Amino acid sequence: MDVMEENKKIKGKECRFAVYVPPLEYDQPDLHVVKEIIHYEDGTSAPKLNFLYDYKRPIWVAKKGCRNYEQKKEWESVDKLIKIETTQTKLVSTAAKALGMHGFNRDLRTLSENPYLYGSDITSTAIIKKAYMDKYPNVKTPFSIGVIDIETDVIHGTDEIIMLTFTMKDICITAVTKKAVSGYTDVQSSVKHLTRKHLGKYLDERKIEQELFIVENEIDVITTIFNRIHEIKPDFVAIWNLDFELTKFIEAAERAQVDLKDILSDPDVPPEYRYFNYKRGKKQKVTSSGKITPIKPAAQWHTVIVPASFYFIDSMCAYKHTRMGKQDEQSYSLDAILTKELNITKLKLEQADEYTGLKWHQVMQSNFMLDYIVYNRFDCISMEILEEKIKDLSVVVPLFSGTSDFENFKSQPRRTVDALHWFVMERNLIMGTTSSNIVDDFDDETLSREDWIITLPAPLISNNGLKIIEENSDLSTTVYGHVGD
């Protein structure tokens, strides 16, 4: 933030998201990196990162005189609870001490088997987000979206990243390796000319300014683009099929023997708090009967945890999950969704019209690499145009998420419980916690979903059937109701 912005009068602040960063050592401060949008009285706004060290969040434990039950409760009155402030890092040890469980050294879910712990399920990041919403309730604007897309080597068998493009409204930045464009002369002006030739309509409509960087290797490709992304500070960095891109990032970093946390974390984050964790979504589910079924890529939900001004999100998965309940698409490829929503396709180049699939990419990389750069750019631009129509990322995902972390967007129960946490708090109640043991003593007596048509011996049936005869409302029938929940 420059000096002129610091002198402006602030109208409000939005919290786009918050990232919790654990300390390297237990006794060091932990850190929450908060992505803010600062709104000024003159109508302007600016992105900013706010660093919160040792942020204290609340938990509650039952008062000793009220610990007269054994089963967990859904919620409890604040009058029967003691409120405790703790950092996220020391939550478990603080709660265990308050519960008299000295020496406890296991995880929160195990600790939550204790029926006297309340309010610890809600994350510190959700608490921070709610605090901003409460303080500035009238400040709500759409999220800003930047898009990235990579291409990898399909000629030499290395599968290395050869180019990466980032676009955001009037910005189009591409980094490409020297090796990929070797043999071509005047690459800068040639790519500008070909981008104008193939994408002139979009350049004019969106007033796009082109940037092209020719770099040494794949890790320089990533570093160059993310250095610019850190400057621009979009709210979301969107990718169609995030797992492919992030896997290639991780492999590139391993080959270069560098740590992705230093590339993807915001440069203002102190080195000791830079962090990167990629949590792949589940690729299969196991039913209660033990049956294993695969989860299609679009139905997965991947999470990248990194303290930066942007949040990585999979546009393909967002498209699927914001339309839950609707019939699945035959294909969730970018080409298929562009055709359905916009009646356009990914960039087709007449030089290779006769080829499809992998062969098409091989021909383009072998003979038409500069045109291939334009193809890569349009993958990003077309995703932006798609988003501007459907507004999945700018509006729908943030709205449906509420205060919940985007990591939990796929989990409607988690989002519901988070919302319920605030709902019951307004009524002076605190939510109970979810333990690692959610089995009840009577679970074995619950009917399964099979054999629901049940015939009981007539002598054992009491005469309290449903009264469903319209002409004789007092008549008990032999029709009985059953709820299996």
Side-chain angles (χ1 to χ4, degrees):
M1 187 179 296
D2 59 31
V3 175
M4 290 186 64
E5 286 178 339
E6 289 180 355
N7 294 329
K8 290 182 181 181
K9 188 174 181 181
I10 294 176
K11 176 183 178 181
K13 298 179 182 181
E14 288 181 272
C15 170
R16 294 309 206 198
F17 54 85
V19 179
Y20 163 67
V21 184
L24 292 176
E25 301 292 339
Y26 181 77
D27 290 330
Q28 292 178 344
D30 62 20
L31 172 65
H32 285 81
V33 178
V34 184
K35 169 64 179 292
E36 296 180 338
I37 301 296
I38 310 296
H39 295 271
Y40 299 103
E41 292 284 1
D42 63 3
T44 61
S45 62
K48 179 179 177 290
L49 288 185
N50 186 14
F51 295 164
L52 304 178
Y53 289 94
D54 270 348
Y55 174 80
K56 297 290 182 69
R57 50 83 46 83
I59 57 172
W60 292 259
V61 297
K63 294 178 179 178
K64 289 185 177 180
C66 299
R67 299 180 188 182
N68 54 3
Y69 50 90
E70 295 182 2
Q71 287 190 322
K72 294 187 70 66
K73 293 185 177 183
E74 292 176 324
W75 49 66
E76 182 60 282
S77 170
V78 292
D79 297 335
K80 298 179 180 180
L81 302 175
I82 300 171
K83 183 179 179 181
I84 302 167
E85 300 282 336
T86 178
T87 63
Q88 187 66 25
T89 300
K90 297 182 179 179
L91 188 155
V92 172
S93 61
T94 301
K97 182 178 179 181
L99 292 167
M101 301 170 64
H102 299 282
F104 181 87
N105 59 359
R106 298 184 66 185
D107 58 274
L108 178 61
R109 292 295 292 271
T110 304
L111 178 64
S112 296
E113 293 175 10
N114 189 300
Y116 308 126
L117 177 63
Y118 292 84
S120 61
D121 275 358
I122 194 80
T123 62
S124 56
T125 47
I127 294 170
I128 290 171
K129 198 172 179 181
K130 182 66 162 59
Y132 276 80
M133 290 180 173
D134 289 345
K135 188 172 183 179
Y136 306 104
N138 300 318
V139 183
K140 294 180 181 178
T141 57
F143 276 46
S144 60
I145 316 297
V147 177
I148 63 172
D149 184 58
I150 66 170
E151 302 297 342
T152 59
D153 175 24
V154 295
I155 300 296
H156 306 98
T158 66
D159 213 26
E160 293 180 358
I161 297 169
I162 58 173
M163 71 179 74
L164 170 60
T165 292
F166 169 80
T167 65
M168 182 174 166
K169 297 187 179 300
D170 59 351
I171 299 168
C172 177
I173 310 165
T174 303
V176 61
T177 62
K178 284 183 178 179
K179 183 178 179 180
V181 294
S182 63
Y184 292 91
T185 58
D186 202 8
V187 174
Q188 290 281 356
S189 60
S190 295
V191 170
K192 278 193 175 182
H193 168 74
L194 289 170
T195 304
R196 167 62 59 183
K197 174 184 174 182
H198 296 302
L199 305 178
K201 169 189 173 183
Y202 303 101
L203 295 182
D204 294 337
E205 289 177 351
R206 305 177 71 81
K207 297 180 173 56
I208 292 174
E209 294 292 332
Q210 304 177 49
E211 296 179 48
L212 177 64
F213 297 91
I214 302 172
V215 298
E216 289 293 334
N217 51 52
E218 61 177 347
I219 207 67
D220 288 343
V221 167
I222 300 172
T223 302
T224 300
I225 294 299
F226 277 91
N227 283 345
R228 292 287 283 115
I229 293 175
H230 290 312
E231 295 171 3
I232 297 164
K233 291 182 170 53
D235 297 326
F236 279 134
V237 167
I239 306 171
W240 200 273
N241 191 4
L242 180 146
D243 187 47
F244 176 81
E245 316 276 317
L246 262 292
T247 299
K248 297 304 177 187
F249 285 1
I250 293 168
E251 292 172 353
E254 289 173 349
R255 284 191 287 265
Q257 296 184 325
V258 300
D259 201 322
L260 270 180
K261 69 180 183 182
D262 293 319
I263 299 174
L264 302 182
S265 296
D266 191 275
D268 288 339
V269 174
E272 63 271 25
Y273 288 100
R274 292 175 186 174
Y275 184 81
F276 171 78
N277 183 20
Y278 178 43
K279 299 164 66 174
R280 286 185 175 86
K282 293 181 179 179
K283 296 183 181 294
Q284 61 183 27
K285 61 181 177 181
V286 182
T287 65
S288 57
S289 63
K291 182 181 178 182
I292 299 175
T293 57
I295 300 175
K296 296 179 179 178
Q300 298 167 17
W301 191 262
H302 312 291
T303 301
V304 184
I305 302 174
V306 61
S309 60
F310 54 84
Y311 186 92
F312 283 105
I313 194 161
D314 192 322
S315 295
M316 176 179 69
C317 296
Y319 186 89
K320 162 69 176 174
H321 285 289
T322 54
R323 290 159 183 80
M324 292 298 288
K326 294 185 178 181
Q327 183 177 352
D328 281 357
E329 302 294 333
Q330 290 186 344
S331 171
Y332 284 94
S333 70
L334 177 57
D335 214 22
I337 302 305
L338 288 175
T339 301
K340 176 186 176 181
E341 296 287 352
L342 302 174
N343 198 28
I344 65 173
T345 66
K346 298 175 74 168
L347 188 62
K348 308 297 183 187
L349 299 165
E350 59 185 22
Q351 299 96 316
D353 268 352
E354 61 187 287
Y355 305 104
T356 58
L358 177 61
K359 184 63 176 177
W360 184 89
H361 288 271
Q362 290 173 336
V363 170
M364 292 302 298
Q365 290 186 18
S366 298
N367 304 312
F368 309 104
M369 181 59 78
L370 303 190
D371 295 272
Y372 194 62
I373 292 173
V374 183
Y375 162 84
N376 176 243
R377 287 178 161 183
F378 189 63
D379 273 5
C380 296
I381 295 169
S382 63
M383 276 181 60
E384 281 195 85
I385 298 170
L386 173 66
E387 166 58 28
E388 287 160 8
K389 177 193 174 186
I390 61 179
K391 302 188 186 305
D392 282 353
L393 306 183
S394 59
V395 176
V396 180
V397 169
L399 180 64
F400 283 4
S401 295
T403 62
S404 299
D405 299 327
F406 295 128
E407 175 181 356
N408 296 321
F409 182 76
K410 183 182 178 182
S411 174
Q412 186 170 340
R414 179 71 263 160
R415 289 188 283 123
T416 302
V417 171
D418 284 352
L420 193 59
H421 177 92
W422 309 118
F423 178 82
V424 301
M425 273 192 73
E426 293 172 358
R427 288 151 181 82
N428 293 318
L429 301 168
I430 304 299
M431 287 290 294
T433 57
T434 307
S435 74
S436 58
N437 180 17
I438 57 175
V439 178
D440 189 272
D441 292 340
F442 301 105
D443 282 354
D444 291 339
E445 299 177 25
T446 305
L447 295 176
S448 73
R449 293 186 180 184
E450 299 177 354
D451 302 324
W452 274 37
I453 299 176
I454 302 169
T455 304
L456 300 176
L460 300 179
I461 300 175
S462 59
N463 188 25
N464 63 347
L466 298 175
K467 298 177 180 181
I468 57 174
I469 305 301
E470 186 175 348
E471 291 79 9
N472 188 348
S473 58
D474 293 326
L475 177 65
S476 293
T477 69
T478 55
V479 177
Y480 295 82
H482 168 76
V483 175
D485 190 344

